[in-house]
Amino acid sequence: MRITSIDAYQIYDSRGNPTVETVVTLEDNTRGIGIVPSGASTGQFEALELRDGDLSRFRGNSVFRAIKNVNTEIAGRLRGMDVFDQAGIDGAMVELDGTGNKSRLGANAILSVSMAVANAAAGSRQVPLYQYLSDNEGYLLPLPEIQIIGGGAHANWRTDIQDFLIIATGAQTYGETLEITHNIYHAAGDILKERGKYYGLADEGGYWPEFSTNEAILEFIIEAITQAGYSPGTDVCISLDIAASDLYDGKTYRFNLDNRTFTTDEFVDLITEWCRSYPIISIEDPMADTDWSGWKKICRSAGHKTQIIGDDLFTTNLKRIQQGIDQKAANAVLIKLNQIGTVSETIEAIKFTQKAGWLPVVSARSGETEDAFISHLAVATNAGQLKVGSFARSERMVKWNEVIRIERQLGDRARFPGAKIYDKIFF
Ligand code: PGA
Ligand code: ZN
């Protein structure tokens, strides 16, 4: 089934920033759409998001060059190719780009086409995307990791740590995770309102963080869990995304909220102590993306019972994941399509992670769209976990809701292992 045309244009993400949307059309007239998200606390090793930098338009944020690259060079190369050859198409774009980080054509240009190709192929076969992308027998519904408080780069640095999230470890079904989250999210909102500290929402829909220490937020999450009628540590656990690269100056880690600085060893000790004192089951980017010795130390001190996820550390990049596995620097990998820039490389990163006995966590970005590709990706690859931000705002809810739709379509073929997935990495 040949690709007949490719059309890219500029639309806007959940922060109102320009992004690329591409439509791929096939010879049977099937159309597939790809929409690209965008990060704020991006890792330095990510594939390059091409923005025009022309301050006279969209404050430099327009993506017209990326769009032109799709409509000219990429379209010229891919027209006539077989839409079912996702790997061949993605490989052709990587080759055409010719750089190591997709900086010539732009990872946003390439990814929009890659996603559109996958959607068009699934459409042409008249199967849902999760089924098209899957080479598995069964399907796992993911355990959600859902933000309650948003901070760091997503809340104008009102707090140091980026995400305070919950994982409904006691839930028996996907639906139950969302019911538990609903109850806790709104209990948290009620408490903030009572205290006169309700200041609206941060970028990913979690509450704006009005607290004087990071520990106070941890206590607050426990209070919200309890107030909603759940038991912290059994029904529901805490998860953090420290996004520590943003706190690190190459030598020390810094909390601005309470004016503290830490060496690598001191920061490892602090995080380890938090894992002992609070029901924390998962920590993302506890250390900076250059501080490999810190990563190895935190894994040794907390990795036996805490999921240690590399986001900025790995940037969904096979070579960096391999380095992490060799060094025993983590036990899980955050997976973001636009960090690496093609669907094929993303799926490869997930499979590689699984083969090593680690856990992948499929993730959205802080700048998101009305697209639910990643919900399908999580189910298709049996990733087991999904991180999409909070339980509010439609660019988040569309992803949680899509899993409900997929669950209904799958019927008996859906399985929900929930927190049992952690048996693979805890010892
Ligand atoms: P980002 O944040 O999309 O701004 O990078 C998400 C994350 O750090 O996980
Ligand atoms: Zn992160």
Side-chain angles (χ1 to χ4, degrees):
M1 182 58 61
R2 308 277 151 209
I3 293 172
T4 50
S5 74
I6 298 182
D7 178 30
Y9 42 89
Q10 181 169 297
I11 61 159
Y12 303 92
D13 71 14
S14 57
R15 285 190 276 244
N17 289 329
T19 190
V20 185
E21 175 161 300
T22 292
V23 180
V24 164
T25 306
L26 310 181
E27 56 187 335
D28 65 357
N29 286 325
T30 305
R31 287 154 45 96
I33 293 187
I35 321 178
V36 177
S38 177
S41 68
T42 48
Q44 60 177 314
F45 304 106
E46 293 192 19
L48 184 108
E49 176 184 79
L50 190 62
R51 294 203 179 267
D52 297 332
D54 169 4
L55 291 177
S56 72
R57 299 203 67 189
F58 295 95
R59 301 154 64 103
N61 290 317
S62 57
V63 289
F64 298 125
R65 275 192 296 155
I67 285 163
K68 185 164 172 238
N69 291 341
V70 174
N71 290 334
T72 56
E73 278 194 65
I74 294 177
R77 177 70 181 79
L78 301 190
R79 236 179 273 123
M81 282 187 83
D82 176 15
V83 76
F84 299 124
D85 183 14
Q86 183 82 40
I89 290 169
D90 288 342
M93 289 193 285
V94 169
E95 198 177 286
L96 188 65
D97 173 77
T99 68
N101 64 348
K102 303 185 176 68
S103 55
R104 195 177 75 78
L105 297 172
N108 42 352
I110 292 171
L111 180 62
S112 71
V113 176
S114 184
M115 292 167 80
V117 163
N119 274 320
S124 183
R125 288 225 168 118
Q126 299 189 14
V127 297
L129 183 63
Y130 68 82
Q131 189 180 326
Y132 176 71
L133 293 177
S134 165
D135 53 16
N136 301 309
E137 290 292 303
Y139 292 99
L140 299 191
L141 301 175
L143 178 64
E145 191 186 346
I146 303 186
Q147 188 192 69
I148 301 299
I149 297 279
H154 304 159
N156 197 29
W157 295 105
R158 182 58 197 80
T159 179
D160 305 293
I161 290 173
Q162 182 180 287
D163 292 303
F164 293 83
L165 315 101
I166 54 166
I167 297 179
T169 44
Q172 299 302 310
T173 63
Y174 177 76
E176 199 186 334
T177 67
L178 300 188
E179 180 167 357
I180 291 171
T181 302
H182 168 96
N183 292 335
I184 294 170
Y185 182 75
H186 290 287
D190 289 346
I191 299 170
L192 292 174
K193 283 173 200 158
E194 262 166 41
R195 296 187 187 154
K197 290 193 166 181
Y198 185 93
Y199 292 100
L201 307 182
D203 279 8
E204 295 192 6
Y207 297 108
W208 189 264
E210 203 50 46
F211 295 86
S212 49
T213 65
N214 296 289
E215 287 85 351
I217 309 181
L218 288 164
E219 302 285 352
F220 167 77
I221 303 278
I222 291 172
E223 197 183 342
I225 294 171
T226 312
Q227 176 145 328
Y230 300 106
S231 156
T234 31
D235 298 332
V236 182
C237 289
I238 295 176
S239 167
L240 300 174
D241 181 358
I242 307 227
S245 303
D246 290 336
L247 311 176
Y248 189 62
D249 65 5
K251 267 178 82 179
T252 49
Y253 293 86
R254 179 171 180 80
F255 281 166
N256 281 320
L257 203 51
D258 46 5
N259 212 1
R260 284 191 286 172
T261 54
F262 309 87
T263 63
T264 290
D265 283 351
E266 287 165 352
F267 206 58
V268 168
D269 287 347
L270 175 84
I271 305 285
T272 307
E273 187 46 44
W274 280 0
C275 289
R276 278 196 205 108
S277 319
Y278 302 101
I280 295 172
I281 195 160
S282 179
I283 299 194
E284 181 176 327
D285 284 351
M287 313 304 294
D289 52 8
T290 49
D291 190 3
W292 288 92
S293 76
W295 280 90
K296 286 188 273 185
K297 283 178 186 157
I298 193 79
C299 269
R300 282 200 296 271
S301 66
H304 57 290
K305 63 175 185 66
T306 316
Q307 174 172 245
I308 311 283
I309 312 173
D311 171 13
D312 290 351
L313 182 68
F314 297 134
T315 57
T316 317
N317 181 314
L318 222 59
K319 283 192 198 130
R320 296 190 62 83
I321 299 169
Q322 177 71 66
Q323 205 175 337
I325 291 165
D326 293 344
Q327 299 208 27
K328 297 190 169 67
N331 55 28
V333 178
L334 205 76
I335 301 288
K336 292 168 169 167
L337 283 154
N338 76 328
Q339 279 182 331
I340 190 68
T342 63
V343 173
S344 303
E345 288 166 289
T346 305
I347 292 177
E348 223 183 315
I350 294 173
K351 288 187 175 163
F352 192 72
T353 301
Q354 288 167 324
K355 237 176 162 176
W358 286 16
L359 301 178
V361 182
V362 173
S363 172
R365 299 305 308 235
S366 52
E368 262 301 331
T369 73
E370 57 273 31
D371 180 64
F373 194 106
I374 58 170
S375 308
H376 288 261
L377 180 68
V379 173
T381 56
N382 287 342
Q385 292 177 93
L386 183 61
K387 180 191 182 208
V388 172
S390 193
F391 206 63
R393 303 181 33 149
S394 283
E395 81 276 7
R396 313 290 150 191
M397 299 315 299
V398 69
K399 280 105 170 148
W400 302 130
N401 288 341
E402 190 73 358
V403 178
I404 296 175
R405 299 184 188 106
I406 294 172
E407 181 179 27
R408 290 185 74 80
Q409 283 178 13
L410 282 172
D412 305 344
R413 288 178 300 155
R415 285 186 300 128
F416 177 74
K420 284 196 202 79
I421 51 165
Y422 298 123
D423 294 350
K424 280 201 188 123
I425 53 167
F426 292 171
F427 53 90

